[in-house]
Amino acid sequence: MIKNLSGVYETVEYENQRFVMLYDNDEIEEYPVHWHNAIEIIIPLHNGFTVTSGGREYHLSEKEMIIIPPGELHFMPAQDGRRIIFQCDNSVISEVPSLESIMPVLSSALHITPELNKELYVLSRKSILDIYTEYYSKTPMADVRIYMYLLTMLTAVREFQLAKVEEAAAMNLVNSDESRKFGLVTKYINQNYMYELPLEKLASIAGYSKYHFSRIFKEYNGMSYIQYINSKRIKAAERLMADSSCPITEVAMQCGFSSLTTFNRAFRKAKGCTPSEFRKMFKLSD
């Protein structure tokens, strides 16, 4: 069940000062549309499970799993069965610069099945079961091992995604040095999202025309360059609104939005609420 829901924002309650939460869940109840700052992974153990995330419906068979990224609106209708629901604090990963290269995995929901890739499916399933074992072991190193298993899985997913890009390169669909070029682009965006980032500038960094840049960026990152930029800006805005009394108009400007109207529209689309509503919900949850 969702314990703390303000509007569509869920405050995840981690028990005993931990940064992870796991439910061995067999309750038949609806999970209304909501979002949170945690990474969430669901794997049905008995009967399938249906999840709507980011406006798309996913039907999970037994032992398949879905990774729901932080900040994405999702919904689960009441369903019979048993499933593992795992949540963990995203900041433990997202605020470590050396882990930036795996963050594209969390750009949108990912349904992991044997058909997607058998090796990835087996590794991911084992990682979740190892996380399950560690969670209930309650040993001093349990949470460290849990993040270790999570990083192993996310790394494998990212390597699988990059391998698909390399396959495309071998078929002459993209340039073979794409990873290096778009690594430079994403690094530039991460460091300069608070400024104006015209398409021409980003395309020139990668060495592509505007048309080819837009198409290949989406193939490489799973989202358009505009969506990627806005995701960085909105995440920065969340931190500012949660940690300071900075006026919302100033938050919008500091995070790179050209106007308050643009900020409100992008924030509502991503979070299902306005920046003002988010700030109120965050204060209530505190």
Side-chain angles (χ1 to χ4, degrees), residues 84-101:
I84 294 172
I85 301 177
F86 170 72
Q87 296 176 321
C88 67
D89 189 340
N90 174 52
S91 64
V92 176
I93 296 175
S94 63
E95 295 179 5
V96 179
S98 60
L99 299 180
E100 182 67 36
S101 59

Side-chain angles (χ1 to χ4, degrees), residues 230 234 252 257-275:
N230 278 344
I234 288 170
F257 289 96
S258 58
S259 70
L260 184 59
T261 301
T262 303
F263 177 47
N264 283 333
R265 184 170 59 247
F267 199 93
R268 177 181 284 278
K269 183 177 180 180
K271 301 298 183 184
C273 62
T274 66

Side-chain angles (χ1 to χ4, degrees), residues 176-216:
S176 59
D177 62 343
E178 180 186 274
S179 296
R180 180 187 63 80
K181 289 182 177 180
F182 280 94
L184 292 173
V185 172
T186 53
K187 182 177 181 181
Y188 182 83
I189 292 174
N190 296 343
Q191 294 174 342
N192 296 278
Y193 63 82
M194 66 290 296
Y195 307 117
E196 184 179 358
L197 295 173
L199 173 58
E200 293 81 359
K201 174 64 175 178
L202 300 179
S204 68
I205 293 172
Y208 290 107
S209 68
K210 292 188 293 183
Y211 169 76
H212 283 92
F213 173 82
S214 299
R215 178 177 61 82
I216 300 173

Side-chain angles (χ1 to χ4, degrees), residues 18 22-24 131-139 142 146:
R18 303 180 78 173
L22 187 145
Y23 302 96
D24 190 336
I131 286 171
Y132 182 97
T133 300
E134 286 294 337
Y135 185 82
Y136 289 107
S137 73
K138 298 183 180 178
T139 62
I146 285 171

Side-chain angles (χ1 to χ4, degrees), residues 237 240-254 279:
L240 278 175
M241 289 190 292
D243 297 336
S244 73
S245 58
C246 182
I248 289 176
T249 300
E250 188 173 335
V251 170
M253 298 301 108
Q254 285 189 27
R279 174 167 271 173

